[in-house]
Amino acid sequence: MNLGPMLPLMTHCPMCKALYAAESVKLICEKANVKLYHSTCHSCSHGLFYYVLQSEGGVSAVGLITDAVGSDALRLAEALPVSSDECISAHRIVSDQSQDLCQNLLDIREKLA
């Protein structure tokens, strides 16, 4: 795969610094001048989403470390955007139930420790 100007930025895992295998970097979707890549590190198994925006002024990129695998990346790329009403609803639920949420997270943490 020819990653062009992104190749120097996508050669190492940001978590363990292992080299990415060229075949592990996959183009997930491309719309106009934006590309979404996904890679999974063969060493530590962390995933990386990489958004690349090419414009007349240059290339901008944002990486996001994730536990998502390639099939998750495809599913997310094809999903409908979250609406503002859904965001407000989620905010209200978290705000109204934040005490219960915090207690559940603490309970989980104690069980994992």
Side-chain angles (χ1 to χ4, degrees):
M1 171 190 304
N2 179 12
L3 297 177
M6 296 320 303
L7 189 57
L9 300 173
M10 296 182 71
T11 58
H12 292 82
C13 172
M15 295 299 289
C16 72
K17 308 300 183 223
L19 283 172
Y20 281 128
E23 61 273 6
S24 73
V25 180
K26 306 282 188 213
L27 177 63
I28 301 300
C29 75
E30 182 174 2
K31 294 180 182 175
N33 57 350
V34 178
K35 294 180 182 178
L36 171 62
Y37 293 95
H38 179 269
S39 184
T40 301
C41 177
H42 69 280
S43 179
C44 70
S45 299
H46 279 95
L48 179 70
F49 281 125
Y50 216 76
Y51 292 93
V52 180
L53 171 65
Q54 293 179 306
S55 66
E56 291 178 19
V59 176
S60 298
V62 175
L64 174 70
I65 297 169
T66 179
D67 61 352
V69 295
S71 60
D72 293 330
L74 286 170
R75 181 179 50 80
L76 292 170
E78 295 171 354
L80 295 174
V82 177
S83 72
S84 57
D85 288 341
E86 290 169 319
C87 288
I88 292 168
S89 177
H91 172 75
R92 286 184 178 144
I93 289 169
V94 171
S95 293
D96 293 346
Q97 299 176 14
S98 63
Q99 187 174 8
D100 292 338
L101 174 65
C102 290
Q103 188 59 52
N104 287 337
L105 292 173
L106 289 172
D107 290 346
I108 291 169
R109 191 177 111 199
E110 288 173 7
K111 289 176 185 175
L112 294 176

